[in-house]
Amino acid sequence: MADQKVTSTKQSEGAQRPGSVDGSAQFQAARGAAPRTDTMTIVLHWVTAIGMVTSLVTGLRIAADNPRAVVSKWFEPILPQGEIWTVHFAAGLALFFCVTAYALYMTRSGLANRVSPKRVQVFMMTNAAKLRWNAFNVSMNWMFYALVAVLTVTGVMLYIGYGGWIVTIHNAAAFGTIFYLLAHLVGHFGYGGLPQWLRVFRPSRLARTAATRRWPILVGTLAGVAVAIGLVTLDFGTRDHLVIGKVDQPPKLDGVLDDPAWKNAKVVSVRTQQGENLAGGSGESTVEIRAVHDDKNVYFAFRWEDPTRSLRRLPLIKKDDGWHLVQDDADIADVKLFYEDKLAILFSTSDAFGGGGSTHMGPKPLADKPAPLHKRGYHYTEGDIADLWQWKAARGGHLGMLDDQYFGPPRPATEAENAGTARHQAGYWNDPGRAFYVYNFKAQPPGGYRGTVDLLRLPTDWKATEAKLGKIDLSPEAIDPEGAQWWMTEAETAPYSKELDATIPVGAVLPGVLIMGNYEGDRAQVHGTPKWADGHWTLEVTRALTTGSEFDQDFVPGRPLYMWVSVFDHNQTRHTRHVRPVVVELD
């Protein structure tokens, strides 16, 4: 935003030729004085620079999380870590202020001519090099305005849930700002060397001309503040509100939304994006949410887009040398192909960005804790508890259970986690009690699962177990048929033995999940039933309105909660993003 205008208390007030350096610059040059810039331009220049760089580096951190990212990953060693979502959006808001204030200030101060597109015409003429550098700088200014416009439009669309090609354009414009920053520095150095760079540290009073209108600084500042406040107000005022109405007859949990209870329930549709897989790789899924309650329980209905019915969580296949896990990156907890579908629902009393302030990105966001195995970040809070419900298609999701978990303060690391041989999860943990699922193979540290794995149990009748899998298709995008059972129960299996293994032929496929015992304690408080049809999952869920557990969020009148939903399409951790929370209120 710094420019070629030099101000002075004795500047000429005459009109300037289009494409020329203004008269004040000529006056300062004649005096041999160091070039200066008016104070308001300097302030806006630096606020814009700080806001743009902050928005850029936090945005690159978000972009680097994409497994196919290239350019943003080059910058990873210097990118910030931690809860960067709030910083990213605050920087964007600062840029809204700057754009508004700059436009009003330029108009009212009489300085609009210095960025007039007419000055670019100098490129087509035979002129002094300094004028050509001036024309270059003006053209770069307009490139910056265009980039800011594109970033603004696509950023708003991402904020309200649009993804797909919007992400691509937003990223391209962000990379364009890197080119602009370099061109900006080169252009100003070419125009006036080091003194031209230093002018943004040399403020001066605005020289009034015939074009100057009253109070340019005040009007520009007030307009910028008004726009920033207006955007925040608009954001809060347009949030989705899910009012949980009371019903006399609760819905039947069967995965079909034909109950009278759902007919009058308000539907809130949430666009989520930037997840792995989904709809041809677009990463988008719209989630419909309904909720009702009776005297004791709350009931939710979720319906979301997912083109495949996926239950194959890390299946096992027998080869000549033994059993192998069908996997990609299972050793670093980042499976993207052979996994079950999931849905995560988060409730918090905080409406902070990043799921109530629980999302901390980067390869090591906690200096005193082990780095996450997948180098992508952690979920944890600064003290409060965010209640997490996870529906897991192969780990109890078709047996009536959701996993009741939470995000809280970071937990102490175990010896294995400190050694890097086990996964540390910071503040992401389970409610007290137990789940009934375990994995049918011994865990291996990072670098593992490339060879054979040791099984815990084998089916007593492998043919019957294989038949329950339905049509076996180990293509990641295959659709598992209705009724397929990609888990084995304790009653269907026996502890591993070489004798039993010898009865199972090479090429046999087994589930990677065991169901052993029962859900117990606080972890067993959320129940649900799913159904997949026509490229959509439908899930009906219930839990007591109040549980008395310190790891849950209770639903009570007059106390709103904030809800986020994330869709997993047969992947372990690369769920869709839901930025704006839904306000949940009990009627």
Side-chain angles (χ1 to χ4, degrees):
M1 204 173 289
D3 48 73
Q4 284 72 53
K5 183 165 182 66
V6 182
T7 57
S8 169
T9 57
K10 297 182 180 179
Q11 287 174 336
S12 168
E13 294 184 2
Q16 301 169 15
R17 291 182 293 106
S20 69
V21 179
D22 58 57
S24 61
Q26 295 170 349
F27 179 79
Q28 291 281 1
R31 292 179 56 193
R36 295 176 177 273
T37 298
D38 60 277
T39 302
M40 186 61 172
T41 295
I42 289 179
V43 171
L44 291 175
H45 173 277
W46 284 114
V47 175
T48 300
I50 293 170
M52 178 56 70
V53 171
T54 301
S55 179
L56 179 62
V57 296
T58 53
L60 288 174
R61 168 57 67 201
I62 296 169
D65 188 56
N66 189 313
R68 288 166 293 280
V70 178
V71 178
S72 55
K73 287 190 180 295
W74 296 344
F75 295 91
E76 258 203 316
I78 62 171
L79 296 178
Q81 302 186 69
E83 202 287 277
I84 53 88
W85 287 97
T86 299
V87 179
H88 187 67
F89 292 128
L93 192 63
L95 289 175
F96 273 110
F97 163 81
C98 289
V99 168
T100 305
Y102 183 71
L104 267 292
Y105 176 69
M106 292 288 285
T107 301
R108 298 190 68 83
S109 65
L111 301 178
N113 181 61
R114 66 187 181 187
V115 292
S116 171
K118 293 181 180 180
R119 293 196 174 199
V120 180
Q121 296 173 1
V122 173
F123 275 133
M124 309 303 295
M125 306 174 187
T126 302
N127 286 293
K130 195 163 189 175
L131 293 181
R132 294 177 69 84
W133 278 115
N134 184 47
F136 173 81
N137 289 329
V138 171
S139 68
M140 288 298 98
N141 282 345
W142 282 98
M143 174 186 175
F144 177 71
Y145 304 152
L147 288 172
V148 169
V150 172
L151 288 168
T152 299
V153 173
T154 55
V156 170
M157 294 182 73
L158 288 172
Y159 186 66
I160 60 178
Y162 290 87
W165 60 269
I166 300 296
V167 180
T168 303
I169 295 175
H170 192 74
N171 288 344
F175 296 141
T177 63
I178 298 176
F179 168 80
Y180 163 77
L181 291 173
L182 296 174
H184 182 68
L185 291 171
V186 171
H188 279 269
F189 189 84
Y191 178 81
L194 186 60
Q196 178 66 15
W197 280 2
L198 296 178
R199 71 186 305 158
V200 293
F201 299 99
R202 298 190 184 109
S204 67
R205 295 178 59 188
L206 173 67
R208 303 187 67 84
T209 69
T212 304
R213 300 167 68 180
R214 299 177 66 184
W215 306 317
I217 296 177
L218 179 63
V219 172
T221 302
L222 291 178
V225 171
V227 166
I229 293 175
L231 288 171
V232 173
T233 303
L234 179 65
D235 178 41
F236 278 85
T238 57
R239 284 178 173 176
D240 288 316
H241 283 250
L242 181 67
V243 178
I244 307 176
K246 188 174 183 180
V247 294
D248 295 325
Q249 183 65 37
K252 179 182 178 182
L253 303 188
D254 56 7
V256 180
L257 305 183
D258 58 356
D259 301 85
W262 297 129
K263 290 184 178 179
N264 295 322
K266 178 183 177 180
V267 180
V268 170
S269 293
V270 174
R271 299 185 64 99
T272 69
Q273 36 86 15
Q274 297 188 66
E276 191 69 7
N277 308 318
L278 286 165
S282 73
E284 297 178 279
S285 181
T286 298
V287 184
E288 295 178 359
I289 310 170
R290 300 167 173 84
V292 295
H293 75 95
D294 57 19
D295 291 332
K296 295 182 178 180
N297 299 311
V298 63
Y299 304 87
F300 285 90
F302 303 93
R303 186 174 187 269
W304 68 94
E305 298 167 316
D306 186 336
T308 56
R309 185 179 191 270
S310 306
L311 306 178
R312 291 156 296 156
R313 186 195 188 277
L314 297 174
L316 296 153
I317 186 168
K318 189 172 184 180
K319 299 183 179 181
D320 290 333
D321 59 343
W323 290 95
H324 289 251
L325 207 61
V326 182
Q327 63 88 32
D328 63 303
D329 295 329
D331 57 316
I332 59 171
D334 194 16
V335 181
K336 297 174 283 294
L337 298 176
F338 294 97
Y339 215 77
E340 67 198 322
D341 290 336
K342 299 190 293 180
L343 181 72
I345 308 111
L346 184 69
F347 298 97
S348 176
T349 55
S350 169
D351 63 348
F353 293 117
S358 65
T359 303
H360 303 259
M361 303 185 74
K364 201 176 190 303
L366 285 169
D368 61 339
K369 294 291 188 294
L373 297 182
H374 47 47
K375 308 298 185 185
R376 298 180 54 221
Y378 282 133
H379 284 296
Y380 63 88
T381 69
E382 298 299 332
D384 55 327
I385 294 294
D387 194 1
L388 174 66
W389 303 352
Q390 280 208 80
W391 174 78
K392 304 172 179 180
R395 289 177 286 171
H398 282 78
L399 300 174
M401 299 302 301
L402 277 75
D403 213 348
D404 195 356
Q405 301 173 296
Y406 69 90
F407 296 152
R411 300 170 56 254
T414 66
E415 184 176 342
E417 291 167 354
N418 280 323
T421 59
R423 180 187 180 189
H424 181 65
Q425 297 185 155
Y428 164 38
W429 204 241
N430 310 308
D431 281 21
R434 70 180 297 270
F436 58 25
Y437 63 81
V438 295
Y439 310 128
N440 193 26
F441 49 88
K442 293 182 180 180
Q444 296 184 7
Y449 302 123
R450 271 60 174 178
T452 59
V453 294
D454 296 325
L455 269 59
L456 302 182
R457 300 180 73 85
L458 289 170
T460 53
D461 184 346
W462 72 268
K463 290 183 178 180
T465 296
E466 194 168 70
K468 291 180 180 180
L469 302 181
K471 180 182 178 182
I472 300 176
D473 185 344
L474 293 183
S475 167
E477 298 299 327
I479 297 175
D480 294 322
E482 184 74 26
Q485 180 179 306
W486 280 87
W487 58 88
M488 298 186 296
T489 66
E490 187 172 9
E492 297 168 337
T493 60
Y496 177 85
S497 69
K498 291 183 179 180
E499 293 75 19
L500 187 56
D501 195 355
T503 67
I504 303 176
V506 170
V509 175
L510 295 178
V513 176
L514 292 171
I515 302 299
M516 308 283 287
N518 298 298
Y519 260 88
E520 297 175 0
D522 285 5
R523 200 171 174 183
Q525 294 174 331
V526 188
H527 304 268
T529 303
K531 188 174 184 62
W532 185 89
D534 302 323
H536 290 78
W537 280 108
T538 301
L539 174 67
E540 293 178 288
V541 179
T542 186
R543 197 207 72 182
L545 287 167
T546 59
T547 67
S549 170
E550 63 178 300
F551 301 101
D552 291 336
Q553 292 293 345
D554 290 335
F555 299 89
V556 295
R559 178 179 176 263
L561 292 175
Y562 302 95
M563 176 173 65
W564 293 263
V565 291
S566 294
V567 172
F568 301 73
D569 183 16
H570 65 85
N571 72 81
Q572 187 171 5
T573 60
R574 295 185 179 274
H575 54 74
T576 58
R577 290 171 177 165
H578 172 197
V579 180
R580 302 178 74 203
V582 175
V583 183
V584 179
E585 298 173 294
L586 191 72
D587 188 7

